[in-house]
Amino acid sequence: MGTKEKLLDILQENREAALSGERLALRLSVSRNAVWKAIKALEKEGHTISAVRNRGYRLLAPSDALSEWLIRTHLKRPEFFRVCVRKTVESTNTALKELAAKGEPEGLVLLAEEQSAGRGRFLRQFFSPPGSGIYLSLLLRPDKTAAEASLITVAAAAAVAETIEALCGKPARIKWVNDVFVNGKKVCGILTEAAIDLESGGLEYAVLGIGINLTAPEAGFPAELSGTAGAVFESGRAAQTRERLAAEILNRFDDYYTALSDRAYLRTYREKSLLLNQEILINNSEQAIAQQINDDGHLIVRTKTGEIKTLLSGEVSVKPAREHR
Ligand code: BTN
């Protein structure tokens, strides 16, 4: 536990009274300046701390803020993941891509309470209001080609679906290629972005971004999302569970990622597939039957004319029931 985490523990235990910087410094065996820096870091994470001259620091209101430390305590490989929580960022993916371009090593995990410009596939926005979801990005530097690295999204979808089932007790389904559904609604989207090293043709880095709606936002989903978007829990607060869920997703993903070529995650991915054996619409126009997910995570379909096609990516939807037959 670092100074910041120990300080948070002390403040949580002493909610009633303010503690002076001097007293805190003594208890933590650090300088008063180190206490001040740790206070500022906790505020940046979203904790509300009152600082009164001559009296000291006190934690205000039960803190629902995501705790870096709590996430770390649930991680199976804390030495690999460097967890960092921010109150608001434009997009955790964008922030990590900037750091990746500057040479940041793999394993950095960035979570935000809120994203002001969360992004999804096809340049869509990802609605990311405060407190009700998990918005997480992980920086990876896999020694893989771009084609192999596309399995990162597949492995992540399997890890998310398994975690939702194991920790939330809700059956989760995966909609090829990057969405997780609960009760027929999309509760999670995954966006993996990568940079190619033009010299080697390999991957310079990949940023895996996962967004999960844990509870419906207080003001509801925006009108354009209300038909498709849902939340894992119907009601209640997402706080307290977010750290465990985030850590469990990272743990499960890590197991899959370290043996990506073994493709163990494909079993879950296929079992929980929402599309297999369904009539689907490709890019909102072409009708087909989803037949298989191959070992590269591609979707094999049979079109109305009997042609077999392999889809590498794209937009696929289940054909509305009234159009069946
Ligand atoms: C999609 O639905 O098409 C993908 C959504 C991915 C959202 C996550 S939230 C964390 C990370 N930061 C982003 O801006 N996007 C991803």
Side-chain angles (χ1 to χ4, degrees):
M1 239 203 260
T3 304
K4 187 180 63 179
E5 289 78 17
K6 287 185 197 155
L7 176 62
L8 183 59
D9 268 1
I10 298 174
L11 293 175
Q12 305 253 36
E13 282 164 16
N14 294 277
R15 283 181 179 283
E16 309 306 318
L19 297 174
S20 71
E22 197 173 356
R23 229 172 118 190
L24 288 166
L26 256 174
R27 272 188 74 174
L28 294 164
S29 308
V30 296
S31 66
R32 282 177 63 178
N33 191 39
V35 170
W36 183 82
K37 278 192 180 152
I39 293 278
K40 291 291 144 204
L42 288 173
E43 285 176 341
K44 222 169 168 185
E45 284 177 17
H47 299 279
T48 315
I49 297 165
S50 92
V52 180
R53 192 188 279 271
N54 297 330
R55 291 182 60 198
Y57 301 104
R58 192 164 71 87
L59 193 63
L60 297 179
S63 187
D64 281 348
L66 269 169
S67 154
E68 285 174 8
W69 168 73
L70 214 49
I71 295 172
R72 234 175 273 131
T73 58
H74 293 301
L75 286 173
K76 280 204 303 200
R77 222 159 56 98
E79 70 283 5
F80 174 70
F81 295 110
R82 302 182 304 288
V83 181
C84 180
V85 170
R86 289 282 168 270
K87 200 169 175 186
T88 306
V89 297
E90 280 185 10
S91 150
T92 53
N93 264 32
T94 308
L96 275 201
K97 279 166 69 180
E98 283 166 14
L99 290 170
K102 290 182 191 151
E104 180 74 30
E106 79 169 344
L108 182 62
V109 185
L110 178 63
L111 294 104
E113 293 283 352
E114 172 184 24
Q115 297 184 115
S116 55
R119 297 184 290 106
R121 292 167 82 219
F122 310 116
L123 300 175
R124 289 185 190 135
Q125 281 188 6
F126 187 80
F127 183 58
S128 319
S132 60
I134 293 177
Y135 318 117
L136 166 165
S137 296
L138 166 63
L139 173 58
L140 300 166
R141 294 196 183 270
D143 190 8
K144 303 269 176 229
T145 63
E148 290 167 321
S150 65
L151 288 168
I152 287 173
T153 304
V154 176
V160 169
E162 287 172 356
T163 300
I164 290 176
E165 294 205 340
L167 297 191
C168 310
K170 308 269 177 171
R173 310 288 302 276
I174 299 170
K175 183 173 154 272
W176 183 86
V177 56
N178 68 327
D179 294 337
V180 178
F181 276 59
V182 168
N183 289 331
K185 293 279 173 93
K186 172 172 167 172
V187 300
C188 166
I190 298 169
L191 176 67
T192 309
E193 298 179 287
I196 310 285
D197 179 345
L198 292 176
E199 296 284 317
S200 66
L203 227 62
E204 204 177 300
Y205 67 80
V207 170
L208 165 67
I210 301 175
I212 307 179
N213 310 322
L214 282 182
T215 52
E218 266 172 37
F221 287 103
E224 67 274 18
L225 295 181
S226 59
T228 47
V232 176
F233 299 109
E234 280 108 52
S235 58
R237 293 189 319 163
Q240 276 104 44
T241 48
R242 287 188 298 169
E243 286 90 351
R244 267 208 76 195
L245 283 168
E248 186 62 19
I249 289 167
L250 291 169
N251 287 338
R252 286 178 190 255
F253 174 76
D254 190 30
D255 284 345
Y256 288 146
Y257 175 66
T258 45
L260 200 66
S261 342
D262 290 356
R263 294 167 162 77
Y265 42 86
L266 274 176
R267 188 176 165 177
T268 297
Y269 195 86
R270 288 175 178 134
E271 268 173 17
K272 300 194 181 305
S273 168
L274 202 68
L275 297 187
L276 287 186
N277 305 317
Q278 299 287 321
E279 280 191 70
I280 58 167
L281 277 180
I282 306 166
N283 296 327
N284 246 334
S285 57
E286 191 175 12
Q287 293 181 22
I289 307 263
Q291 294 207 306
Q292 219 193 92
I293 288 157
N294 73 12
D295 283 354
D296 296 323
H298 301 154
L299 186 67
I300 314 288
V301 302
R302 184 164 47 80
T303 66
K304 275 234 144 169
T305 58
E307 191 189 348
I308 302 294
K309 283 189 177 176
T310 302
L311 306 183
L312 273 58
S313 66
E315 183 74 324
V316 164
S317 53
V318 179
K319 214 174 134 205
R322 65 188 148 75
E323 288 179 35
H324 280 209
R325 77 176 56 126

